[in-house]
């Protein structure tokens, strides 16, 4: 049974078979047009709005670098100040706990010449009940998955005698890092509501679970997924300065000069640089929001928090659309004389659904019709299907454009500090996440916003590079860089 911890948590996936009950409406002589017009107006993110968001985020980044809690963006120190060089050698593991899945990976690194000699990975989806269970349950599940994967190690993978298997642990939730291999969970996000982890060192949680499973491995690097993505991309390309995740949730990190971090006390590394994990999902200033966003936020397990994430990331886009469609059904007779009951179930409409609907190019919008039928149990007219697409596009366009503004906020921060060293040359933004990967329209809106904000000339120098699963290899590379064993290079 699921514990009753927040409606958002227990409703992440639709449960039960299809239900086709309809609540009958009393007044059918109404239209959806005013609702759509109002929505489009409130969600509009024209250039001045984007500029305002980008500038406010840049200012917030600076405030967060001065002192912890100085801004909405936490600007967390990653303790990663040595980026991969290509010299890394040996067998390393990575474990990635994201929003939907956890992935395990092993990689055999062969130094400058051979680079990645072999790699293998497995992906396990996280059962619904574990997202709302206890910390021990979740970490035991992860350790068990890792143990099963490690048992299958063979072939090209080889651990030198006397060495312990080392792991780069990618953990995609806000952590207050205390060293490269320890960090305390600040809070769960993305619908997780696991009891007993907040305030604890997540590496210790994993180590204890591995001990319980009798698994002899150690975590050498705890990295955020953005940091893993940056490290993985930088291994191949020295122009990578920023990494962004647009998946279930969203976040970004970048390479910062230590001199530009007033809150950094203690020793500076020889490189003089470090990676800052912005935790930009917490941003909220100047965003164009609607009643649907406010209602969704109020019903969430973290009201008032992660507003930028709730506006632009994959976990929420489908849900915002569902809320709009429900209002249109109730007050604008979108689906005729009745309101499909299933449409009132939070999170029944997911981002992959709205993506599939927007990618329906057939004349009668067949796929839109069948998605609405499958998801909400509703028969729809062609007119209604067209409205549904308009709603999806409105929400997705706002999300993509605001994500573009976030990317520009980081680039302009680095550029301002380096007197034009960013915009004057090729700069790469490493991108990962299922939303960016699969949602063509969303991706286009991200690019359009970046180009509008930077202008055509400068934006030619900014390369947004999709680095699928780069964060896994990145974490393994960072485990290697922070290995407790002697480097043989
Ligand atoms: P995570 O963020 O959990 O680490 P991913 O980066 O793989 O995982 O992103 C998964 C998210 O990407 C899903 O929650 C969903 O919002 C989005 N997504 C996945 N597939 C699609 C799709 N086909 N179309 C649109 N969005 C998708
Ligand atoms: Mg991820």
């Amino acid at each position: 049974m699921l514990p009753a911890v927040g409606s958002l948590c227990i409703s992440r996936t639709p449960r039960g078979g299809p239900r086709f009950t309809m609540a009958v409406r009393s007044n059918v002589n109404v239209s959806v047009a005013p609702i759509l017009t109002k929505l489009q107006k409130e969600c509009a993110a024209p250039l001045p709005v984007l500029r305002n968001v980008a500038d406010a985020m840049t200012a917030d980044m600076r405030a967060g670098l001065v002192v912890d809690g100085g801004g909405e963006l936490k600007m967390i120190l990653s303790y990663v100040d040595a980026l991969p060089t290509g010299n890394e050698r040996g067998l390393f593991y990575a474990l990635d706990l994201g929003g939907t899945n956890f992935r395990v990976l092993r990689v055999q690194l062969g130094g400058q010449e051979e680079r990645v000699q072999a790699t293998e990975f497995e992906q396990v989806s996280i059962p619904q009940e574990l997202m709302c269970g206890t910390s021990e349950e979740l970490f035991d599940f992860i350790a068990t998955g890792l143990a099963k994967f490690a048992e299958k190690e063979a072939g090209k993978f080889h651990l030198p005698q006397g060495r312990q298997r080392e792991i780069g642990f990618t953990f995609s939730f806000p952590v207050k890092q205390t060293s490269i291999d320890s960090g305390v969970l600040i809070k769960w996000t993305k619908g997780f509501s696991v009891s007993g982890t907040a305030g604890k060192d997540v590496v210790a949680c994993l180590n204890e679970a591995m001990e319980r499973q009798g698994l002899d491995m150690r975590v050498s690097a705890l990295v955020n997924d953005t940091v893993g993505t940056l490290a993985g991309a930088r291994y191949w390309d020295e122009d990578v300065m920023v990494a962004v995740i647009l998946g279930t949730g969203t976040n970004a990190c970048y390479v910062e000069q230590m001199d530009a971090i007033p809150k950094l006390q203690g020793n500076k590394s020889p490189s003089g640089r470090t990676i800052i994990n912005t935790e930009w999902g917490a941003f909220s200033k100047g965003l164009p929001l609607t009643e649907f966003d406010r209602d969704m936020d109020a019903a969430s397990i973290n009201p008032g928090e992660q507003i930028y994430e709730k506006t632009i990331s994959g976990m929420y886009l489908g849900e915002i659309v569902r809320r709009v469609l429900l209002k249109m059904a109730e007050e604008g007779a979108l689906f005729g004389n009745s309101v499909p009951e299933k449409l009132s179930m939070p999170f029944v409409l997911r981002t992959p659904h709205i993506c599939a609907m927007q990618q329906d190019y057939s004349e009668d919008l067949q796929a839109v019709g069948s998605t609405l039928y499958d998801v909400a149990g509703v028969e729809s007219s062609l007119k209604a299907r067209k409205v549904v697409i308009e709603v999806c596009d409105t929400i997705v366009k706002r999300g993509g454009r605001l994500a573009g503004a976030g990317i520009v906020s980081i680039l302009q921060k680095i550029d301002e500090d380096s007197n034009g060293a960013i915009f004057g040359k090729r700069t790469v933004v490493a991108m990962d996440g299922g939303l960016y990967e699969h949602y063509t329209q969303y991706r286009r809106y991200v690019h359009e916003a970046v180009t509008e904000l930077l202008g055509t000339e400068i934006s030619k120098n900014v390369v947004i590079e999709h680095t699928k699963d780069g964060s896994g290899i990145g974490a393994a590379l960072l485990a290697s860089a922070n290995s407790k064993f002697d480097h043989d290079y």
Side-chain angles (χ1 to χ4, degrees), residues 288-364:
L289 300 177
T290 68
E291 60 179 286
F292 307 104
D293 303 295
R294 283 184 280 273
D295 291 350
M296 178 181 72
D297 176 49
S300 71
I301 46 173
N302 52 353
E305 292 174 11
Q306 300 293 107
I307 303 299
Y308 185 57
E309 178 164 85
K310 285 171 181 162
T311 317
I312 74 168
S313 81
M315 174 162 174
Y316 303 99
L317 297 179
E319 170 64 4
I320 303 170
V321 170
R322 181 197 68 83
R323 286 173 176 271
V324 177
L325 298 185
L326 182 61
K327 176 161 176 160
M328 287 179 157
E330 285 172 348
E331 296 179 17
L334 178 63
F335 302 115
N337 196 23
S338 54
V339 180
E341 197 185 289
K342 264 188 101 183
L343 205 53
S344 355
M345 286 169 65
F347 291 88
V348 74
L349 191 67
R350 321 281 314 171
T351 299
H353 295 134
I354 65 168
C355 176
M357 293 199 286
Q358 264 203 283
Q359 285 166 16
D360 178 0
Y361 302 107
S362 69
E363 229 164 73
D364 55 351

Side-chain angles (χ1 to χ4, degrees), residues 111-272:
Q112 281 296 349
E113 299 297 301
E114 309 227 358
R115 294 280 170 147
V116 174
Q117 293 169 314
T119 173
E120 266 174 4
F121 77 97
E122 265 173 28
Q123 180 161 307
V124 187
S125 73
I126 302 165
Q128 189 73 31
E129 55 273 22
L130 288 185
M131 293 180 187
C132 310
T134 68
S135 197
E136 284 79 18
E137 284 164 351
L138 178 66
F139 281 98
D140 277 341
F141 180 76
I142 293 167
T144 313
L146 182 60
K148 279 187 204 147
F149 179 67
E151 268 171 29
K152 290 180 238 166
E153 179 192 297
K156 293 182 184 144
F157 300 95
H158 169 70
L159 189 76
Q161 277 251 310
R163 284 182 75 140
Q164 199 179 13
R165 284 174 183 76
E166 292 182 284
I167 311 167
F169 182 19
T170 307
F171 188 76
S172 322
F173 300 90
V175 159
K176 165 108 177 114
Q177 198 110 16
T178 38
S179 69
I180 185 67
D181 60 359
S182 63
V184 170
L185 177 70
I186 298 170
K187 60 179 178 189
W188 289 106
T189 54
K190 299 183 277 190
F192 273 66
S193 167
V194 175
S195 62
T197 327
K200 279 205 189 141
D201 178 1
V202 293
V203 173
C205 291
L206 179 61
N207 280 336
E208 286 159 19
M210 290 194 297
E211 253 171 57
R212 285 194 291 271
Q213 302 301 322
L215 183 60
D216 180 30
M217 290 174 96
R218 86 177 267 276
V219 175
S220 303
L222 171 67
V223 296
N224 186 267
D225 55 349
T226 54
V227 177
T229 300
L230 197 152
R234 181 88 177 205
Y235 181 66
W236 301 106
D237 187 340
E238 286 204 344
D239 291 338
V240 175
M241 293 296 286
V242 180
V244 173
I245 305 290
L246 291 167
T248 307
T250 183
N251 191 13
C253 73
Y254 69 103
V255 181
E256 181 60 286
Q257 297 298 321
M258 284 181 160
D259 292 342
I261 315 173
K263 72 177 177 186
L264 180 65
Q265 278 149 12
N267 292 339
K268 302 203 164 147
S269 72
S271 73

